[in-house]
């Protein structure tokens, strides 16, 4: 997969391809249907599949106070797009100047003039241009005039409800990581660097990997069965079973920031500074404050056993 920093330098060899446009935060099942359709059409026509996306998210520029916390980092999104088999990704820098494009000029001067698509595919809730004035209907009207067809991919539903990033964020905020997995088509995961904490876990027999998290969304504070793997292939890329606490550790310091601390079973190496990916599989319990460390240790043993059983049975 090729990554292009901005449509102004879109390579001519990728022009006249099959294009989709959007933010695609989370790369959930709805997005995956779009990617698969684009990929199959490109293969059928002997052309390239292309994704046009934005960085940062437009809302972070236009209305930062109401911008949604993002489910995926840019690196995660690119990795998922590569796994989806996309040919080229355009990362368009979204600035205040770019936000001033009206809908017609965006389609004419950016998508058509620079990418020259044969076909464009978008999601059912697609909006674009200044103040989101453009819609799937206006794109469908503009496309044929400029020489490309427009297809709207219908909504994807799971358990009778539409799959979208907003719903996934809500589920994660409620600790419903298994439900979010069904909408994402994979477990929700976060990435980051292992940092040194207060090393309290070592003193009670449960050393943890403390994550300096890249992602903007962590699940509800509580305990989860999880899996960890290193980003460095030299350290091995297999998933390792773990139990993770997301929270403030109220037994010791209630004013601490929210952290993700993973205890990896049968693992004790010093990996400070290494980058890991942590994926959430099952919610074990909510976070709670214990009256003394002994009660906490007893509960951690129970949590670890519960996490092992849930991972083994999944």
């Amino acid at each position: 997969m090729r990554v292009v920093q901005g449509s102004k330098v879109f390579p001519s060899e990728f022009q006249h391809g099959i294009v989709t446009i959007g933010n695609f935060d989370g790369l959930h099942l709805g997005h995956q249907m779009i990617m698969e359709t684009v990929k199959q059409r490109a293969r059928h026509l002997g052309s390239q599949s292309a994704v046009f996306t934005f960085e940062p998210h437009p809302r972070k520029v236009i209305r930062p106070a109401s911008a949604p916390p993002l489910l995926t980092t840019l690196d995660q999104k690119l990795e998922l797009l590569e796994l989806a088999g996309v040919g080229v990704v355009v990362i368009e820098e979204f600035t205040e100047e770019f936000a001033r494009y009206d809908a017609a000029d965006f389609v004419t001067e950016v998508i058509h003039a620079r990418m020259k698509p044969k076909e464009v595919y978008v999601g059912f809730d697609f909006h674009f241009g200044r103040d989101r004035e453009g819609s799937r209907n206006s794109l469908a009207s503009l496309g044929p005039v400029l020489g490309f067809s427009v297809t709207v991919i219908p909504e994807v539903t799971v358990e009778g409800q539409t799959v979208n990033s907003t719903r996934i964020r809500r589920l994660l905020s409620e600790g419903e990581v298994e439900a979010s997995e069904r909408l994402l088509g994979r477990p929700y995961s976060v990435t980051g660097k292992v940092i040194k904490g207060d090393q309290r876990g070592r003193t009670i027999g449960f050393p943890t990997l403390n994550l300096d998290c890249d992602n903007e969304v962590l699940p509800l504070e509580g305990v989860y069965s999880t899996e960890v793997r290193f980003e460095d292939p030299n350290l091995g890329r297999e998933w390792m079973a773990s139990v993770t606490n997301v929270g403030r550790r109220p037994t010791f310091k209630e004013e601490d920031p929210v952290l993700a601390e993973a205890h990896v079973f049968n693992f004790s190496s010093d990996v400070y500074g290494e980058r890991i990916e942590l994926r959430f599989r099952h919610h074990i319990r909510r976070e709670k404050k214990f009256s003394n460390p002994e009660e906490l240790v007893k509960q951690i043993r129970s949590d670890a056993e519960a996490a092992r059983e849930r991972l083994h049975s999944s």
Side-chain angles (χ1 to χ4, degrees):
M1 183 182 79
R2 185 164 172 180
V3 178
V4 179
Q5 299 295 332
S7 57
K8 288 182 179 179
V9 293
F10 191 72
S12 59
E13 63 266 30
F14 289 104
Q15 290 177 340
H16 310 291
I18 312 303
V19 174
T20 184
I21 311 164
N23 293 305
F24 305 118
D25 182 37
L27 258 291
H28 53 60
L29 290 177
H31 299 146
Q32 290 169 40
M33 176 177 282
I34 296 173
M35 300 306 157
E36 184 63 21
T37 303
V38 166
K39 182 178 69 174
Q40 294 298 337
R41 285 296 296 166
R43 182 177 298 164
H44 177 73
L45 296 174
S47 59
Q48 293 285 349
S49 58
V51 173
F52 185 102
T53 191
F54 305 96
E55 179 68 18
H57 191 288
R59 287 267 291 278
K60 291 185 180 293
V61 175
I62 301 168
R63 291 186 293 276
S66 64
L70 300 182
L71 297 167
T72 46
T73 66
L74 178 59
D75 285 344
Q76 284 179 309
K77 183 160 68 171
L78 290 174
E79 181 179 356
L80 290 165
L81 287 170
E82 185 165 26
L83 288 172
V86 171
V88 60
V89 177
V90 178
I91 303 173
E92 191 73 38
E93 182 182 8
F94 197 89
T95 62
E96 291 183 0
E97 180 183 1
F98 193 87
R100 288 193 283 271
Y101 270 108
D102 65 26
D105 286 346
F106 170 70
V107 175
T108 303
E109 299 176 19
V110 178
I111 299 301
H112 171 62
R114 299 173 185 176
M115 301 180 72
K116 297 179 173 57
K118 287 181 182 177
E119 300 176 357
V120 172
Y121 291 78
V122 295
F124 71 98
D125 57 351
F126 179 69
H127 286 83
F128 63 100
R130 186 175 54 224
D131 298 324
R132 289 169 55 87
E133 64 185 5
S135 68
R136 59 189 183 185
N137 294 327
S138 53
L139 180 64
S141 298
L142 280 166
V145 174
L146 296 169
F148 61 84
S149 65
V150 175
T151 300
V152 177
I153 303 298
E155 64 183 6
V156 173
T157 61
V158 170
E159 298 167 355
Q161 295 191 14
T162 302
V163 174
N164 57 51
S165 301
T166 300
R167 185 179 172 210
I168 294 168
R169 292 185 193 100
R170 178 179 60 77
L171 289 170
L172 291 170
S173 74
E174 297 169 352
E176 299 286 348
V177 295
E178 292 175 82
S180 71
E181 179 174 344
R182 291 193 288 273
L183 274 60
L184 287 164
R186 65 183 186 281
Y188 179 67
S189 70
V190 298
T191 61
K193 184 183 293 185
V194 178
I195 58 174
K196 184 171 288 189
D198 54 24
Q199 299 186 303
R200 191 176 288 116
R202 292 177 183 271
T203 66
I204 60 176
F206 289 92
T208 59
L209 304 184
N210 299 323
L211 184 64
D212 182 12
C213 187
D214 300 328
N215 297 70
E216 298 177 4
V217 176
L218 279 171
L220 174 73
E221 295 173 24
V223 177
Y224 298 85
S225 71
T226 52
E227 293 166 316
V228 170
R229 70 177 178 184
F230 293 104
E231 290 190 2
D232 184 350
N234 294 322
L235 296 174
R237 290 285 285 166
E238 70 277 4
W239 289 102
M240 300 178 288
S242 56
V243 60
T244 295
N245 183 76
V246 175
R248 304 177 188 276
R249 301 174 295 181
T251 302
F252 300 103
K253 290 172 72 176
E254 292 192 51
E255 69 276 11
D256 276 1
V258 175
L259 295 172
E261 302 175 282
H263 171 68
V264 183
F265 304 134
N266 306 314
F267 182 84
S268 60
S269 299
D270 183 349
V271 291
Y272 294 130
E274 296 294 342
R275 291 187 56 79
I276 62 172
E277 181 176 5
L278 171 68
R279 67 184 186 185
F280 295 85
R281 302 303 311 277
H282 314 96
H283 184 220
I284 304 298
R285 64 170 175 85
R286 292 287 301 272
E287 186 175 49
K288 61 180 291 188
K289 182 176 180 178
F290 295 90
S291 57
N292 56 65
E294 290 73 25
E295 283 189 11
L296 172 62
V297 172
K298 182 178 179 181
Q299 182 63 59
I300 291 174
R301 290 198 183 100
S302 175
D303 294 339
E305 184 59 32
R308 288 179 191 269
E309 289 180 2
R310 295 295 297 276
L311 290 169
H312 180 73
S313 61
S314 63

